[in-house]
Amino acid sequence: MTSPHPARTRRQPRSAPGATTQGRKEPKMRHLTALPDLSELSDVTVTLAPESQTADGSVPLVGYLVLAPAGTQPAQLSELFAAQASSSPPANRPAAVPPEERPAPRGIVVDTEERTASVDGAPLQLTYLEFELLAHLVRHPHRVYTRESLVATIWGYGPVGDQRTVDVHVARLRRKLGAAYRERIVTVRRVGYKYVPPAS
């Protein structure tokens, strides 16, 4: 005898969002920022798509929950995803920071480790003895050195060394330091020379 009512297919209960079953991964949520309020959202649409095969040959399914306004077409969802991706910075990529521009150091700068000297950031072309003389004077500001002591320290001569060579090297240094800094090497009459740094 035929039943007056056709047999109905029994619906499977809908799983709660976030629930996991054997062989399936937990659905991933992607939020869209530019959506109307929740009262205008349609029912939750669940799309299952294969991701990759596992070692045993089975294909795990990954669920994606998409919340969209009622009546939204699939093409419109693609536009929303593309707009959000273009406005969001790439993940795990720090924002570009413009390099800091250091101002050029002012005054006379002597680096004894790299054996460089500069004036207001511009490098000086000094001979070996000129560099040694300038570095020695700058290392001990305001201290007066006699010509004899400079000859012994820089040139390595004894007390009989030619002291006029100090005057020649000081004159060359002053010329290379330029008008703004030549007076930093001060002549102490009938004694010698000293270095006076600019007032801070």
Side-chain angles (χ1 to χ4, degrees), residues 124-144:
L124 295 176
Q125 301 299 324
L126 303 178
T127 65
Y128 175 83
L129 291 175
E130 289 170 353
F131 178 84
E132 290 296 323
L133 178 58
L134 179 63
H136 184 70
L137 293 174
V138 170
R139 193 182 301 118
H140 307 284
H142 303 290
R143 181 174 176 178
V144 179

Side-chain angles (χ1 to χ4, degrees), residues 42-174:
S42 64
D43 294 337
V44 173
T45 301
V46 180
T47 304
L48 297 178
E51 188 179 60
S52 60
Q53 288 191 351
T54 59
D56 60 0
S58 61
V59 179
L61 298 180
V62 180
Y64 296 91
L65 301 181
V66 181
L67 302 180
T72 301
Q73 299 299 319
Q76 294 173 313
L77 288 177
S78 300
E79 293 176 3
L80 288 174
F81 283 131
Q84 186 186 29
S86 62
S87 62
S88 302
N92 301 326
R93 183 180 296 177
V97 179
E100 296 182 2
E101 296 184 0
R102 290 186 176 183
R106 304 296 297 176
I108 302 172
V109 178
V110 178
D111 189 332
T112 56
E113 293 185 359
E114 296 187 2
R115 295 192 62 83
T116 59
S118 62
V119 173
D120 291 344
L124 295 176
Q125 301 299 324
L126 303 178
T127 65
Y128 175 83
L129 291 175
E130 289 170 353
F131 178 84
E132 290 296 323
L133 178 58
L134 179 63
H136 184 70
L137 293 174
V138 170
R139 193 182 301 118
H140 307 284
H142 303 290
R143 181 174 176 178
V144 179
Y145 287 94
T146 63
R147 291 174 176 82
E148 293 87 347
S149 64
L150 290 174
V151 167
T153 303
I154 305 302
W155 281 263
Y157 300 154
V160 295
D162 185 4
Q163 299 176 13
R164 293 181 54 189
T165 190
V166 177
D167 299 332
V168 172
H169 280 76
V170 168
R172 292 176 180 173
L173 274 178
R174 285 173 172 166

